Amino acid sequence: MVIRPASQHDKADIEALYRSAFPEEEWEKVAKLATDLLDDDAQGSFSLVIDDEDDQILGHVAFSEITIPSEPETHAAILAPLAVHPDAQRQGVGTALVNHGLDILTEEENNLVFVYGDPEYYGRFGFTVEPAENFRPPYELQFPKGWQVLALTAEAPPEDPIDITCAPALQDPTLW
Ligand SMILES: CC(C)(COP(=O)(O)OP(=O)(O)OC[C@H]1O[C@@H](n2cnc3c(N)ncnc32)[C@H](O)[C@@H]1OP(=O)(O)O)[C@@H](O)C(=O)NCCC(=O)NCCS
């Protein structure tokens, strides 16, 4: 299996991956996010796919830039979305994609990585809920317990709530 940057050529395969991995009522919205982020040319944004030996895409993850207007020196990203083909789940594919992305973000000297998902899954990478509480996302969260952050450098979480802003592709209240 090979992890490589995703490109526009992967768009149809990424859509098909999300169709297979997510429930019927959710996949289109998440696939749109994944493919919209292929167009995100912010410096801190990137997408990865993992191919099998037949060049079939088994998994995809996107990281996009987060800005914190009150802390312009802080470099941050958000992990979203992530999917692994049902036939390839529970074989370490998601873990490999997330770890590869976190390595890139560390090399690029990011301070923080956010994620909005199941803490049981993301906790294994070091994401935690409590320090994320004072980072205020752009929309009200439907599942506040899924809002997590991972500090890649020694960062003290803010004592008071501060706003964060995200890529245009994530500026959709139904995603939060
Ligand atoms: C969640 C997902 C990305 C995990 O990828 P994966 O390649 O199957 O995961 P890995 O093989 O790296 O890790 C497997 C471990 O994660 C756990 N896990 C898998 N899916 C999980 C989930 N939805 N919630 C919590 N834990 C989960 C399993 O318990 C497993 O641990 P175990 O092997 O000790 O039992 C994948 O199952 C998927 O695409 N699911 C559908 C789409 C989705 O929910 N994406 C959003 C994630 S918030």
Side-chain angles (χ1 to χ4, degrees):
M1 291 191 288
V2 179
I3 297 178
R4 62 172 174 84
S7 78
Q8 289 291 347
H9 300 293
D10 300 313
K11 198 171 172 184
D13 290 340
I14 290 172
E15 265 171 11
L17 170 72
Y18 279 86
R19 184 178 212 145
S20 72
F22 274 81
E24 176 69 31
E25 63 282 7
E26 257 185 78
W27 79 265
E28 270 177 299
K29 185 175 65 182
V30 194
K32 180 176 184 313
L33 172 61
T35 54
D36 283 354
L37 283 172
L38 293 172
D39 295 324
D40 183 358
D41 53 11
Q43 210 186 343
S45 300
F46 61 94
S47 300
L48 302 171
V49 287
I50 191 162
D51 294 324
D52 69 9
E53 52 279 7
D54 300 320
D55 292 336
Q56 299 295 309
I57 289 179
L58 297 181
H60 164 271
V61 67
F63 294 86
S64 57
E65 196 169 272
I66 287 285
T67 50
I68 307 177
S70 62
E71 289 187 7
E73 301 298 312
T74 301
H75 294 285
I78 184 166
L79 184 173
L82 167 68
V84 173
H85 192 280
D87 295 343
Q89 288 178 8
R90 300 205 159 199
Q91 295 165 37
V93 173
T95 300
L97 280 168
V98 172
N99 282 332
H100 196 94
L102 294 178
D103 286 347
I104 292 172
L105 292 170
T106 303
E107 274 166 30
E108 292 181 350
E109 299 185 345
N110 279 269
N111 307 106
L112 300 170
V113 191
F114 294 90
V115 75
Y116 182 43
D118 187 340
E120 270 203 48
Y121 186 68
Y122 291 106
R124 70 186 56 209
F125 304 102
F127 288 93
T128 48
V129 173
E130 206 196 338
E133 279 167 5
N134 275 339
F135 291 104
R136 208 159 38 198
Y139 300 98
E140 194 174 336
L141 298 172
Q142 297 164 55
F143 308 103
K145 288 186 179 142
W147 182 235
Q148 298 151 73
V149 71
L150 168 65
L152 298 176
T153 52
E155 301 294 311
E159 285 176 17
D160 298 309
I162 55 174
D163 291 329
I164 69 166
T165 56
C166 58
L170 275 157
Q171 289 171 18
D172 170 357
T174 67
L175 290 168
W176 297 83

